[in-house]
Amino acid sequence: MTRTERFVQELARVGGTAAVLAPPEVPAHVAGLLRERGARGVLLAPDPLPGEPAWEPALREALEGEGVTVVRGAEDPAGLREVPAGITGALAGVAESGTLLLGGKPRGPWQWASLLPPLHVALVREERICASLDEAFCVLRESLQEGVEEFVWITGPSRTADIAITLLLGMHGPKELHVVVVS
Amino acid sequence: MPRDLAREIEDALQNGNLQQALAGFTGAVGFLRAQAIADLPDYEGLRGRARRIKAEAIENLDALLEQLKESVEARGGRVVFARDGEEALRYVRDLIRAHGVRRIVKSKSMTAEEIGLAERLEALGVSVLETDLGERIVQLARERPSHLIGPALHKTLDEVRGVFREWLGLEDPPREPAELARLARQALRDAFFEAEMGITGANFAVAETGHLMLVENEGNIRLTARLPKVHVALMGVEKVLPALEDLTVFLKLLPRSGTGQKLTSYVSLFAPRPGLHLIVLDNGRSRLRADPELREALYCIRCGACLDSCPSYQAVGGHVFGGRVYMGGIGTAWTAGVDGLEEAAEFHGLCTSCGRCTEVCPVKIDIPWLNTAIRSRARQLESPRHRRAARVLGEIDRWARWGSLLAPLGNRALHSGPGRRLVARALGLDPERTLPKFARPTFRAQARTRPRSQRQRLGAVDGVKLFVDCFTNHFEPGVGLAALRVLERLGVRVELARNVCCGRAALSQGLLERARALANENARRLLPELREGETIVGIEPSCVAALRSEYRHLLPPKEAEGLRERVRDVMEFLAEPEISRRLSELLPSEEPKKVVYHGHCQQKALGSHGAIVALLRDLPGLEVQTVEVACCGMAGSFGYKREFAALSRHLGRRLVGLVEAQGQGGEPVACGFSCRSQLRDLGGLRARHPVQILDELLAQSQEGSL
Ligand code: SF4
Ligand code: SF4
């Protein structure tokens, strides 16, 4: 099994979904996801594919072409209360547990986009999928040295078992986590 | 007012909802944990590292805390050290005033619970909204959390609906858990946006960079820490770690141990920022740190695994087996540190020293030992009558000698109605229980005077010193004789060890000094006599466990290690390759005998259980069923005590039920004297030690071959 296959499998185990796509297919795929859910707006965190600055305008264009309002995060999250979807990049993926590593400035758009809306779409480059947590931790250390301040490891959607020990998704954070692995 | 523990236990056992919730939760998490851990390469190595990291951090605590302060403040945050809840509260109060805070959101934190932060802030007139769903349910029900990870696990769906009725003013709250969760999400989401301050705990703080690591599934911690401008993080001093990389070890162990997840949904590494106020709380932790016996309680990462695996906790939950805030076996030490010995003295008795918790603790805290230490201190607080009773029960070796000497007479006196009641009253025992009967002559005497022909010497190979425990010696010599014969038939040279009582009874009464004296005496008598390659073999698993585990705390390291290396359980010894091969050759293979085996909790804790079961399964002449139950519930004198009678019966009946249901008519066998007593007293089942069965089979096959 390749790393990507393992990643997709583990992610499914924790209730996330994934698609492995070539770069040109990504904007239409993401636009389609939003359309299916009737999401008219999206919070697009800057730099959705770390290291590929040209990507952001392409994605924005595709989404706007679908009639989706694209907002970029502001310092004040008050306006983001009802936003139905969020798109972020990811610094790394961990195949053995289906985990993503996200990072940025404290209270940055990456945090809000991956936390506030019911749908979180994350893009990760295939070569950033590490076999193990230890490997991904090296990425974390490097990112810190490059100025990324704060991090979150995300493994599946938000969940709770606090009501009568029943597993429920989407407690406080996203109910749906969709990862696009960009090959 | 002192607690009425017997009453609380009774109530908990009769609370059907609680029983169902506890069984469901601890069972499910136990299963998931085992899976998640099986998946982890080098689990044992990781545990060792985790413990080392914590131990070193606690050792260098002051320097690490200083470094943490510098790191956080260099990036705009603030760090304050609070000696107690009062100081922490004062700081938060000033913050509230300075920032004009009226609404606070908070995420579950045992440390906040410890200093009653939420209630005390509410008393100032600010609203403090708990946002962890389980904790919120408990808060609205005006209860305390009953588990470190699942605070509301004791509440049924209907009870939760009742809570929602009051909270959201709904007449008929939905019956669907998913609908309830959706309503809670909505209600709390507004609060997150409105609050001016968020209060969280912290699982770890990194001295090197100032990051705070918080582990969660819901997302409320991220919201609490990030949406409001002001973030107050409250953590105990013990949470600091030196470097970022140290986190990986805990990242692998904490979720797996806590919920059986590889990772929880969210593990945040929050960076220090302006608006962060990190309150580092002592509140008794320095006292624990300065206490060599209790210090390791500070290594606890609050995963809750020890609760889920604890037979006492499984039966009565954290409200009964717990103090004001902290629960379970680890909770006694924390309660002693934070609330004082008196509070801990109320519930340490629920720990039977079975050791099931140490098997699963990711930082290998010796929880039974913490409880033994606390028990010994708590004795000082007790009435002279209680202390006297403890002395009698803890000096079983002394009075058992008299019991055996006076056997027929003493037994009649002890087992007659009036005699039994008198003894029961004097010692605080359960009058319904039959006390064990003294045997005469003792095992030692019988072994010495066995007819010559029984002492076979089949080309002696490995030498064994048979440790003569008090249970075998005074109550069940038959087990000892069977062990002797089996070993000798295998060609093992056996001598009786010149040991004294192992000290188990004294330990379970908290008579530490007596236990230490016995341990030293045993080391003095046993170690110099041991020949090269010789093993000390014990019959009673709880005594073997005393020699191998507790002696680490009672003897100098060299002596403790010397004994630890050489002591084996008799069944474990029989499972060694060379011995078990010989045993297999001698056993008859036709018509296997059916037995149902209950493993002793301390064999499981020592790690010998697996090998013993494998041995029994592989031996010809036996067909073995096993029953999976954490503990028989007797644990030496525990089950005889009036206070714990109901709990002991509850656990024992479960064992009896399983043996009857799953045994398929096999003869019950168990290595522990206590386990066999439970099966006999509560199920009318005659259970024997497996070595007795082997003895019988060997005798048969020898007859057959003559
Ligand atoms: S030793 Fe046994 S009874 Fe005591 S806390 Fe651990 S699991 Fe519970
Ligand atoms: S004592 Fe060990 S098992 Fe129990 S909560 Fe603490 S770390 Fe977990």
Side-chain angles (χ1 to χ4, degrees), chain B residues 261-288:
Chain B
Q261 293 170 286
K262 284 185 187 166
L263 279 173
T264 55
S265 298
Y266 306 123
V267 177
S268 296
L269 258 82
F270 294 118
R273 61 162 170 114
L276 166 69
H277 299 264
L278 177 59
I279 303 180
V280 183
L281 180 74
D282 190 306
N283 207 33
R285 287 161 176 80
S286 290
R287 215 174 329 151
L288 285 175

PDB file of all heavy atoms in Angstrom, chain B residues 261-288:
ATOM      1  N   GLN B 261      -8.106   6.065  20.669  1.00  0.00           N
ATOM      2  CA  GLN B 261      -7.906   6.663  19.346  1.00  0.00           C
ATOM      3  C   GLN B 261      -6.407   6.761  19.081  1.00  0.00           C
ATOM      4  O   GLN B 261      -5.633   6.966  20.006  1.00  0.00           O
ATOM      5  CB  GLN B 261      -8.486   8.085  19.310  1.00  0.00           C
ATOM      6  CG  GLN B 261     -10.000   8.165  19.420  1.00  0.00           C
ATOM      7  CD  GLN B 261     -10.450   9.602  19.620  1.00  0.00           C
ATOM      8  OE1 GLN B 261     -10.295  10.165  20.700  1.00  0.00           O
ATOM      9  NE2 GLN B 261     -10.999  10.217  18.576  1.00  0.00           N
ATOM     10  N   LYS B 262      -6.035   6.664  17.794  1.00  0.00           N
ATOM     11  CA  LYS B 262      -4.624   6.888  17.475  1.00  0.00           C
ATOM     12  C   LYS B 262      -4.285   8.335  17.787  1.00  0.00           C
ATOM     13  O   LYS B 262      -3.252   8.645  18.379  1.00  0.00           O
ATOM     14  CB  LYS B 262      -4.356   6.620  16.005  1.00  0.00           C
ATOM     15  CG  LYS B 262      -4.310   5.143  15.704  1.00  0.00           C
ATOM     16  CD  LYS B 262      -3.920   4.938  14.266  1.00  0.00           C
ATOM     17  CE  LYS B 262      -4.052   3.474  13.924  1.00  0.00           C
ATOM     18  NZ  LYS B 262      -4.003   3.273  12.469  1.00  0.00           N
ATOM     19  N   LEU B 263      -5.153   9.220  17.333  1.00  0.00           N
ATOM     20  CA  LEU B 263      -5.050  10.624  17.726  1.00  0.00           C
ATOM     21  C   LEU B 263      -6.478  11.114  17.914  1.00  0.00           C
ATOM     22  O   LEU B 263      -7.392  10.624  17.258  1.00  0.00           O
ATOM     23  CB  LEU B 263      -4.375  11.453  16.632  1.00  0.00           C
ATOM     24  CG  LEU B 263      -2.857  11.424  16.572  1.00  0.00           C
ATOM     25  CD1 LEU B 263      -2.348  12.153  15.338  1.00  0.00           C
ATOM     26  CD2 LEU B 263      -2.249  12.052  17.813  1.00  0.00           C
ATOM     27  N   THR B 264      -6.665  12.075  18.778  1.00  0.00           N
ATOM     28  CA  THR B 264      -7.994  12.661  18.900  1.00  0.00           C
ATOM     29  C   THR B 264      -8.217  13.572  17.698  1.00  0.00           C
ATOM     30  O   THR B 264      -7.282  13.866  16.953  1.00  0.00           O
ATOM     31  CB  THR B 264      -8.117  13.499  20.179  1.00  0.00           C
ATOM     32  OG1 THR B 264      -7.071  14.466  20.178  1.00  0.00           O
ATOM     33  CG2 THR B 264      -7.993  12.617  21.413  1.00  0.00           C
ATOM     34  N   SER B 265      -9.433  14.044  17.507  1.00  0.00           N
ATOM     35  CA  SER B 265      -9.716  14.879  16.340  1.00  0.00           C
ATOM     36  C   SER B 265      -8.764  16.066  16.257  1.00  0.00           C
ATOM     37  O   SER B 265      -8.264  16.387  15.201  1.00  0.00           O
ATOM     38  CB  SER B 265     -11.154  15.395  16.395  1.00  0.00           C
ATOM     39  OG  SER B 265     -12.040  14.311  16.370  1.00  0.00           O
ATOM     40  N   TYR B 266      -8.540  16.704  17.396  1.00  0.00           N
ATOM     41  CA  TYR B 266      -7.677  17.893  17.385  1.00  0.00           C
ATOM     42  C   TYR B 266      -6.614  17.810  18.468  1.00  0.00           C
ATOM     43  O   TYR B 266      -6.916  17.554  19.622  1.00  0.00           O
ATOM     44  CB  TYR B 266      -8.512  19.164  17.625  1.00  0.00           C
ATOM     45  CG  TYR B 266      -9.655  19.293  16.661  1.00  0.00           C
ATOM     46  CD1 TYR B 266     -10.966  19.400  17.120  1.00  0.00           C
ATOM     47  CD2 TYR B 266      -9.438  19.287  15.286  1.00  0.00           C
ATOM     48  CE1 TYR B 266     -12.022  19.503  16.234  1.00  0.00           C
ATOM     49  CE2 TYR B 266     -10.488  19.382  14.389  1.00  0.00           C
ATOM     50  CZ  TYR B 266     -11.782  19.488  14.867  1.00  0.00           C
ATOM     51  OH  TYR B 266     -12.819  19.576  13.984  1.00  0.00           O
ATOM     52  N   VAL B 267      -5.379  18.042  18.041  1.00  0.00           N
ATOM     53  CA  VAL B 267      -4.314  18.242  19.007  1.00  0.00           C
ATOM     54  C   VAL B 267      -3.689  19.584  18.656  1.00  0.00           C
ATOM     55  O   VAL B 267      -3.033  19.721  17.624  1.00  0.00           O
ATOM     56  CB  VAL B 267      -3.260  17.128  18.939  1.00  0.00           C
ATOM     57  CG1 VAL B 267      -2.132  17.421  19.917  1.00  0.00           C
ATOM     58  CG2 VAL B 267      -3.885  15.769  19.233  1.00  0.00           C
ATOM     59  N   SER B 268      -3.935  20.588  19.490  1.00  0.00           N
ATOM     60  CA  SER B 268      -3.448  21.928  19.181  1.00  0.00           C
ATOM     61  C   SER B 268      -2.127  22.185  19.863  1.00  0.00           C
ATOM     62  O   SER B 268      -1.898  21.745  20.989  1.00  0.00           O
ATOM     63  CB  SER B 268      -4.453  22.981  19.681  1.00  0.00           C
ATOM     64  OG  SER B 268      -5.673  22.849  18.996  1.00  0.00           O
ATOM     65  N   LEU B 269      -1.267  22.900  19.149  1.00  0.00           N
ATOM     66  CA  LEU B 269      -0.069  23.459  19.771  1.00  0.00           C
ATOM     67  C   LEU B 269      -0.215  24.967  19.695  1.00  0.00           C
ATOM     68  O   LEU B 269       0.190  25.593  18.712  1.00  0.00           O
ATOM     69  CB  LEU B 269       1.168  23.025  18.991  1.00  0.00           C
ATOM     70  CG  LEU B 269       1.974  21.896  19.611  1.00  0.00           C
ATOM     71  CD1 LEU B 269       1.328  20.579  19.267  1.00  0.00           C
ATOM     72  CD2 LEU B 269       3.382  21.932  19.083  1.00  0.00           C
ATOM     73  N   PHE B 270      -0.839  25.529  20.712  1.00  0.00           N
ATOM     74  CA  PHE B 270      -1.096  26.964  20.709  1.00  0.00           C
ATOM     75  C   PHE B 270       0.193  27.721  20.990  1.00  0.00           C
ATOM     76  O   PHE B 270       0.906  27.418  21.939  1.00  0.00           O
ATOM     77  CB  PHE B 270      -2.135  27.321  21.771  1.00  0.00           C
ATOM     78  CG  PHE B 270      -3.502  26.762  21.488  1.00  0.00           C
ATOM     79  CD1 PHE B 270      -4.097  25.851  22.350  1.00  0.00           C
ATOM     80  CD2 PHE B 270      -4.199  27.153  20.345  1.00  0.00           C
ATOM     81  CE1 PHE B 270      -5.359  25.338  22.094  1.00  0.00           C
ATOM     82  CE2 PHE B 270      -5.466  26.650  20.075  1.00  0.00           C
ATOM     83  CZ  PHE B 270      -6.049  25.732  20.947  1.00  0.00           C
ATOM     84  N   ALA B 271       0.459  28.718  20.149  1.00  0.00           N
ATOM     85  CA  ALA B 271       1.647  29.546  20.364  1.00  0.00           C
ATOM     86  C   ALA B 271       1.299  30.652  21.351  1.00  0.00           C
ATOM     87  O   ALA B 271       0.161  31.092  21.413  1.00  0.00           O
ATOM     88  CB  ALA B 271       2.082  30.154  19.034  1.00  0.00           C
ATOM     89  N   PRO B 272       2.283  31.091  22.130  1.00  0.00           N
ATOM     90  CA  PRO B 272       2.027  32.225  23.007  1.00  0.00           C
ATOM     91  C   PRO B 272       1.657  33.439  22.166  1.00  0.00           C
ATOM     92  O   PRO B 272       2.170  33.590  21.050  1.00  0.00           O
ATOM     93  CB  PRO B 272       3.365  32.464  23.712  1.00  0.00           C
ATOM     94  CG  PRO B 272       4.212  31.290  23.399  1.00  0.00           C
ATOM     95  CD  PRO B 272       3.688  30.650  22.172  1.00  0.00           C
ATOM     96  N   ARG B 273       0.792  34.283  22.653  1.00  0.00           N
ATOM     97  CA  ARG B 273       0.395  35.480  21.896  1.00  0.00           C
ATOM     98  C   ARG B 273       0.005  36.545  22.907  1.00  0.00           C
ATOM     99  O   ARG B 273      -0.272  36.232  24.068  1.00  0.00           O
ATOM    100  CB  ARG B 273      -0.795  35.165  21.000  1.00  0.00           C
ATOM    101  CG  ARG B 273      -2.037  34.707  21.787  1.00  0.00           C
ATOM    102  CD  ARG B 273      -3.313  34.826  20.970  1.00  0.00           C
ATOM    103  NE  ARG B 273      -4.445  34.185  21.592  1.00  0.00           N
ATOM    104  CZ  ARG B 273      -5.526  34.837  22.043  1.00  0.00           C
ATOM    105  NH1 ARG B 273      -5.596  36.162  22.013  1.00  0.00           N
ATOM    106  NH2 ARG B 273      -6.543  34.163  22.557  1.00  0.00           N
ATOM    107  N   PRO B 274      -0.010  37.808  22.470  1.00  0.00           N
ATOM    108  CA  PRO B 274      -0.522  38.832  23.365  1.00  0.00           C
ATOM    109  C   PRO B 274      -1.966  38.462  23.692  1.00  0.00           C
ATOM    110  O   PRO B 274      -2.695  38.020  22.818  1.00  0.00           O
ATOM    111  CB  PRO B 274      -0.464  40.111  22.533  1.00  0.00           C
ATOM    112  CG  PRO B 274       0.495  39.822  21.420  1.00  0.00           C
ATOM    113  CD  PRO B 274       0.417  38.355  21.159  1.00  0.00           C
ATOM    114  N   GLY B 275      -2.346  38.609  24.932  1.00  0.00           N
ATOM    115  CA  GLY B 275      -3.695  38.199  25.311  1.00  0.00           C
ATOM    116  C   GLY B 275      -3.712  36.848  25.998  1.00  0.00           C
ATOM    117  O   GLY B 275      -4.717  36.451  26.564  1.00  0.00           O
ATOM    118  N   LEU B 276      -2.568  36.120  25.954  1.00  0.00           N
ATOM    119  CA  LEU B 276      -2.488  34.859  26.699  1.00  0.00           C
ATOM    120  C   LEU B 276      -2.016  35.117  28.130  1.00  0.00           C
ATOM    121  O   LEU B 276      -1.007  35.798  28.346  1.00  0.00           O
ATOM    122  CB  LEU B 276      -1.508  33.881  26.032  1.00  0.00           C
ATOM    123  CG  LEU B 276      -1.109  32.672  26.907  1.00  0.00           C
ATOM    124  CD1 LEU B 276      -2.284  31.722  27.118  1.00  0.00           C
ATOM    125  CD2 LEU B 276       0.075  31.911  26.320  1.00  0.00           C
ATOM    126  N   HIS B 277      -2.744  34.572  29.080  1.00  0.00           N
ATOM    127  CA  HIS B 277      -2.319  34.624  30.482  1.00  0.00           C
ATOM    128  C   HIS B 277      -2.226  33.190  30.970  1.00  0.00           C
ATOM    129  O   HIS B 277      -3.235  32.513  31.120  1.00  0.00           O
ATOM    130  CB  HIS B 277      -3.320  35.409  31.317  1.00  0.00           C
ATOM    131  CG  HIS B 277      -3.447  36.829  30.860  1.00  0.00           C
ATOM    132  ND1 HIS B 277      -2.753  37.862  31.435  1.00  0.00           N
ATOM    133  CD2 HIS B 277      -4.155  37.376  29.833  1.00  0.00           C
ATOM    134  CE1 HIS B 277      -3.032  38.995  30.812  1.00  0.00           C
ATOM    135  NE2 HIS B 277      -3.884  38.728  29.824  1.00  0.00           N
ATOM    136  N   LEU B 278      -0.997  32.740  31.148  1.00  0.00           N
ATOM    137  CA  LEU B 278      -0.784  31.353  31.570  1.00  0.00           C
ATOM    138  C   LEU B 278      -0.594  31.328  33.086  1.00  0.00           C
ATOM    139  O   LEU B 278       0.377  31.889  33.605  1.00  0.00           O
ATOM    140  CB  LEU B 278       0.451  30.788  30.858  1.00  0.00           C
ATOM    141  CG  LEU B 278       0.867  29.369  31.233  1.00  0.00           C
ATOM    142  CD1 LEU B 278      -0.237  28.359  30.952  1.00  0.00           C
ATOM    143  CD2 LEU B 278       2.140  28.967  30.467  1.00  0.00           C
ATOM    144  N   ILE B 279      -1.557  30.707  33.763  1.00  0.00           N
ATOM    145  CA  ILE B 279      -1.456  30.623  35.224  1.00  0.00           C
ATOM    146  C   ILE B 279      -0.911  29.255  35.594  1.00  0.00           C
ATOM    147  O   ILE B 279      -1.488  28.228  35.241  1.00  0.00           O
ATOM    148  CB  ILE B 279      -2.833  30.827  35.885  1.00  0.00           C
ATOM    149  CG1 ILE B 279      -3.413  32.175  35.439  1.00  0.00           C
ATOM    150  CG2 ILE B 279      -2.721  30.750  37.397  1.00  0.00           C
ATOM    151  CD1 ILE B 279      -4.762  32.474  36.034  1.00  0.00           C
ATOM    152  N   VAL B 280       0.220  29.247  36.253  1.00  0.00           N
ATOM    153  CA  VAL B 280       0.872  27.997  36.618  1.00  0.00           C
ATOM    154  C   VAL B 280       0.634  27.762  38.111  1.00  0.00           C
ATOM    155  O   VAL B 280       1.130  28.504  38.957  1.00  0.00           O
ATOM    156  CB  VAL B 280       2.381  28.063  36.299  1.00  0.00           C
ATOM    157  CG1 VAL B 280       3.044  26.740  36.608  1.00  0.00           C
ATOM    158  CG2 VAL B 280       2.590  28.421  34.826  1.00  0.00           C
ATOM    159  N   LEU B 281      -0.136  26.726  38.373  1.00  0.00           N
ATOM    160  CA  LEU B 281      -0.666  26.527  39.726  1.00  0.00           C
ATOM    161  C   LEU B 281       0.127  25.488  40.504  1.00  0.00           C
ATOM    162  O   LEU B 281       0.447  24.425  39.979  1.00  0.00           O
ATOM    163  CB  LEU B 281      -2.129  26.061  39.612  1.00  0.00           C
ATOM    164  CG  LEU B 281      -2.868  25.791  40.913  1.00  0.00           C
ATOM    165  CD1 LEU B 281      -3.218  27.104  41.614  1.00  0.00           C
ATOM    166  CD2 LEU B 281      -4.125  24.961  40.657  1.00  0.00           C
ATOM    167  N   ASP B 282       0.413  25.799  41.747  1.00  0.00           N
ATOM    168  CA  ASP B 282       1.059  24.804  42.610  1.00  0.00           C
ATOM    169  C   ASP B 282      -0.002  24.012  43.393  1.00  0.00           C
ATOM    170  O   ASP B 282      -0.247  22.856  43.145  1.00  0.00           O
ATOM    171  CB  ASP B 282       2.041  25.493  43.569  1.00  0.00           C
ATOM    172  CG  ASP B 282       2.889  24.456  44.284  1.00  0.00           C
ATOM    173  OD1 ASP B 282       2.301  23.544  44.890  1.00  0.00           O
ATOM    174  OD2 ASP B 282       4.127  24.536  44.223  1.00  0.00           O
ATOM    175  N   ASN B 283      -0.650  24.651  44.323  1.00  0.00           N
ATOM    176  CA  ASN B 283      -1.759  24.043  45.064  1.00  0.00           C
ATOM    177  C   ASN B 283      -1.472  22.618  45.543  1.00  0.00           C
ATOM    178  O   ASN B 283      -2.222  21.694  45.241  1.00  0.00           O
ATOM    179  CB  ASN B 283      -3.021  24.039  44.181  1.00  0.00           C
ATOM    180  CG  ASN B 283      -4.286  24.068  45.046  1.00  0.00           C
ATOM    181  OD1 ASN B 283      -4.287  24.662  46.119  1.00  0.00           O
ATOM    182  ND2 ASN B 283      -5.333  23.418  44.590  1.00  0.00           N
ATOM    183  N   GLY B 284      -0.391  22.456  46.285  1.00  0.00           N
ATOM    184  CA  GLY B 284      -0.110  21.144  46.864  1.00  0.00           C
ATOM    185  C   GLY B 284       0.847  20.288  46.047  1.00  0.00           C
ATOM    186  O   GLY B 284       1.334  19.263  46.519  1.00  0.00           O
ATOM    187  N   ARG B 285       1.138  20.721  44.818  1.00  0.00           N
ATOM    188  CA  ARG B 285       2.007  19.898  43.980  1.00  0.00           C
ATOM    189  C   ARG B 285       3.443  19.876  44.496  1.00  0.00           C
ATOM    190  O   ARG B 285       4.122  18.851  44.384  1.00  0.00           O
ATOM    191  CB  ARG B 285       1.964  20.390  42.531  1.00  0.00           C
ATOM    192  CG  ARG B 285       0.635  20.044  41.847  1.00  0.00           C
ATOM    193  CD  ARG B 285       0.403  20.894  40.622  1.00  0.00           C
ATOM    194  NE  ARG B 285      -0.804  20.525  39.892  1.00  0.00           N
ATOM    195  CZ  ARG B 285      -2.034  20.895  40.243  1.00  0.00           C
ATOM    196  NH1 ARG B 285      -2.231  21.627  41.330  1.00  0.00           N
ATOM    197  NH2 ARG B 285      -3.072  20.524  39.533  1.00  0.00           N
ATOM    198  N   SER B 286       3.897  20.990  45.034  1.00  0.00           N
ATOM    199  CA  SER B 286       5.251  20.996  45.596  1.00  0.00           C
ATOM    200  C   SER B 286       5.348  20.015  46.755  1.00  0.00           C
ATOM    201  O   SER B 286       6.381  19.385  46.968  1.00  0.00           O
ATOM    202  CB  SER B 286       5.626  22.387  46.097  1.00  0.00           C
ATOM    203  OG  SER B 286       5.792  23.238  44.997  1.00  0.00           O
ATOM    204  N   ARG B 287       4.225  19.909  47.490  1.00  0.00           N
ATOM    205  CA  ARG B 287       4.209  18.951  48.594  1.00  0.00           C
ATOM    206  C   ARG B 287       4.378  17.527  48.042  1.00  0.00           C
ATOM    207  O   ARG B 287       5.152  16.741  48.570  1.00  0.00           O
ATOM    208  CB  ARG B 287       2.885  19.072  49.347  1.00  0.00           C
ATOM    209  CG  ARG B 287       3.022  18.857  50.806  1.00  0.00           C
ATOM    210  CD  ARG B 287       1.718  19.116  51.554  1.00  0.00           C
ATOM    211  NE  ARG B 287       0.868  20.133  50.950  1.00  0.00           N
ATOM    212  CZ  ARG B 287      -0.471  20.133  51.058  1.00  0.00           C
ATOM    213  NH1 ARG B 287      -1.084  19.183  51.722  1.00  0.00           N
ATOM    214  NH2 ARG B 287      -1.190  21.099  50.514  1.00  0.00           N
ATOM    215  N   LEU B 288       3.670  17.224  46.974  1.00  0.00           N
ATOM    216  CA  LEU B 288       3.813  15.895  46.372  1.00  0.00           C
ATOM    217  C   LEU B 288       5.234  15.692  45.855  1.00  0.00           C
ATOM    218  O   LEU B 288       5.818  14.630  45.987  1.00  0.00           O
ATOM    219  CB  LEU B 288       2.825  15.723  45.214  1.00  0.00           C
ATOM    220  CG  LEU B 288       1.368  15.488  45.570  1.00  0.00           C
ATOM    221  CD1 LEU B 288       0.504  15.471  44.305  1.00  0.00           C
ATOM    222  CD2 LEU B 288       1.185  14.184  46.333  1.00  0.00           C
TER     223      LEU B 288
END
